[in-house]
Amino acid sequence: MTSNWKSLAAAKKSSQQASIPKEWTLTNLPSSDELNVLTFPENCGLLTLKEVEITNTHVDVLLNKLANAEWSSVAVTTAFAKRAIVAHQLPLVKLSAHCMASIIYIFKNDMAHFEIGLPVSLKDQVNIKGIESTMGYASWVGRYAERNAVLVDVLEALGAVLYVKTNIPQTLMWPETFNLVFGRTVNPSNRSLTCGGSSGGEGALVALKGSPVGVGSDIGGSIRIPSSLCGTYGFRPSTGRVPYAGSVNSLEGQDTLPSVLGPISNSIHGLKVFIQGVLSQKSWLRDPLVIRKGWSEEQYNLIEHGGGKQLCFAIMWNDGSIVPHPPIMRGLEMAKNALIKAGHKVIEWKPLDHKTTVDIGLSIFSAGAEEDFAAVSAESGEPLIKSMVPEKELESDPTALLTKAPLSAYQLWQLHKKKQELRQSYLEHWLATANETGTGRPVDAIIAPVAPFTAVPHGKYSYVRYTMVWNVLDYPALVIPVSRVDPALDVKKPAHEFLSDSDKSIYELYEPETFKDAPIGLQVVGRTHEDEAVIAMAEIVDTALKAF
């Protein structure tokens, strides 16, 4: 074991700082008591009025203006790069924190395809040849990728400009974002709260409009958690739709519950055009784990869901273990009422064995997680992070997710078998709802919380079951921002009959003023490989909410 991790981290931070153009360095940063910094980038004085207009523009309009040469790729990339650099400089209250891991500032003038020169940000695990992917480890500083990830080749073939990589937690396996190389990423809506994880840098950057589309990954909620907490849209596709080959990861070799790559954006159109573009490139010819299925316009037109004319959504009010906080319940009520007003049907979703399902997933992760993490950290003598509580990151935390003992191969096989049985049971459970919907079809999609809370104070995100259950079942899920915490509307309710000890502690966590301005998000969930249908149904939910 070596012990040079501090020097590696310091060198990386120094090179990162040196990569920032000096003329983009700010001296007028907001004070530490200014918690909501969403509008700071456009008011800081660095961006021109045109650059503010560009970065406030959604992907559909951006692509049109790029295709028509109304805006050049250089102008668009410069605008987003400058806004990203502003986001990078926003400090955490009392601590230094940044949303970016490394700057990859690349201009291209020979853009191709309809996505001409669209800037795309990448989570710091998607390899670009000659660039480090640290995965939040000091041990991986100086480990330069020898080749592109398949997704990078695909995006560049589409004309994307890859200009920035974003921060992640050490090991990736955290629902918050902190590591010993780049520090902590915070929530731009309220910097006293977490941005989520593990794609926390992407969530924060997209929320601050420093990127029109970002690439995250999701193994237990890592796209959806930061999307919901930061107030963006995010999509966890089914396994095998977006190529993963060539990206680095934790728990490599564990493929019964795989991570997937997916987009984060400020509009559903941004998610849709990303998926359409990636699928158009026939990635199954580059990555053997990608299924041979292009974009299905038939699925997107909801042919198997009555053409989208009168859908039946099922709302999951709680998962049987934790009752969500008042802002989440308000978001669910808003979705219900908006959909009914729009002419759709809404029934209640009855969760089936969610606790057992997620317990199996966590046990599968834990089977070799400790050995995996230790092997990497030992290369530099870097200590493993044990908590996300500020200033206590190296102290043991009983709420940490991966604390189970390693398993034998046979024990692991039994978990795989049980997972398969649960997936079969859940499919049958879903199909049986045809008796309740009144449409002659099973429930078209589930609307569920992303978590029992909105963004929480740093170190307090202790419950991933609302997202991870869909990973174990391999159901695609799309996050929609609904509202924000308003202490006048989202008052604390009297204590209910608690469903578990965790339910009590999460109830006690909620104080309206602490959560002020935190985004409220929900997820629209469909069945395996109904990705195009989920995007279409999420558009319907989003439209209904905006019209409500």
Side-chain angles (χ1 to χ4, degrees), residues 69-92:
E70 186 175 342
W71 291 344
S72 72
S73 176
V74 171
V76 171
T77 302
T78 299
F80 279 102
K82 287 173 74 173
R83 193 152 182 159
I85 292 296
V86 173
H88 176 68
Q89 295 176 76
L90 287 170
L92 169 63

Side-chain angles (χ1 to χ4, degrees), residues 228-229 231 326-332 334 454 480-486 490 517-522:
S228 180
L229 270 55
I328 304 300
M329 298 300 287
R330 178 165 66 87
L332 292 169
M334 289 173 64
T454 59
I480 295 173
V482 176
S483 184
R484 292 182 179 273
V485 174
D486 181 342
D490 302 312
D517 290 336
I520 301 167
L522 302 174

Side-chain angles (χ1 to χ4, degrees), residues 144-203:
Y144 297 94
E146 296 182 359
R147 59 187 296 182
N148 287 341
V150 168
L151 182 59
V152 166
D153 287 337
V154 165
L155 291 173
E156 290 191 328
L158 292 167
V161 182
L162 307 176
Y163 69 113
V164 68
K165 298 184 78 175
T166 54
N167 203 19
I168 56 179
Q170 184 197 65
T171 76
L172 290 183
M173 305 299 288
W174 289 93
E176 302 190 36
T177 299
F178 171 82
N179 61 64
L180 298 172
V181 180
F182 303 108
R184 185 181 300 273
T185 304
V186 301
N187 195 311
S189 293
N190 184 330
R191 290 187 290 166
S192 70
L193 306 177
T194 180
C195 64
S198 61
S199 309
E202 284 299 327

Side-chain angles (χ1 to χ4, degrees), residues 27-37 40 89-97 186-193 458:
T27 58
N28 61 334
L29 294 172
S31 64
S32 61
D33 58 356
E34 192 173 334
L35 299 181
N36 189 329
V37 293
F40 177 77
Q89 295 176 76
L90 287 170
L92 169 63
V93 180
K94 299 181 181 178
L95 295 173
S96 175
V186 301
N187 195 311
S189 293
N190 184 330
R191 290 187 290 166
S192 70
L193 306 177
H458 303 292

Side-chain angles (χ1 to χ4, degrees), residues 343-423:
H344 301 287
K345 303 188 71 173
V346 179
I347 65 174
E348 180 179 348
W349 183 258
K350 301 175 181 65
L352 176 69
D353 292 331
H354 278 210
K355 184 179 186 305
T356 301
T357 302
V358 177
D359 281 345
I360 286 173
L362 291 172
S363 294
I364 289 171
F365 289 162
S366 296
E370 183 177 337
E371 188 174 358
D372 180 88
F373 302 158
V376 177
S377 62
E379 295 177 23
S380 65
E382 175 184 8
L384 285 172
I385 291 170
K386 299 177 182 177
S387 171
M388 283 287 154
V389 177
E391 311 296 345
K392 296 182 179 179
E393 291 91 352
L394 301 181
E395 299 179 13
S396 295
D397 184 349
T399 66
L401 299 176
L402 300 183
T403 57
K404 299 178 183 294
L407 302 174
S408 70
Y410 179 76
Q411 290 172 319
L412 185 59
W413 294 346
Q414 303 318 298
L415 291 175
H416 293 172
K417 178 183 176 184
K418 181 62 176 175
K419 180 175 80 78
Q420 186 174 338
E421 292 170 351
L422 284 166
R423 289 189 67 184

Side-chain angles (χ1 to χ4, degrees), residues 2 37 257 394 411 501-502:
T2 61
V37 293
L257 218 172
L394 301 181
Q411 290 172 319
D501 291 341
S502 296

Side-chain angles (χ1 to χ4, degrees), residues 324-327 329-330 485-494 507 510-513:
H325 284 173
M329 298 300 287
R330 178 165 66 87
V485 174
D486 181 342
L489 293 176
D490 302 312
V491 298
K492 188 162 187 170
K493 305 295 188 206
Y507 167 83
Y510 183 66
E511 294 296 338
E513 284 298 330

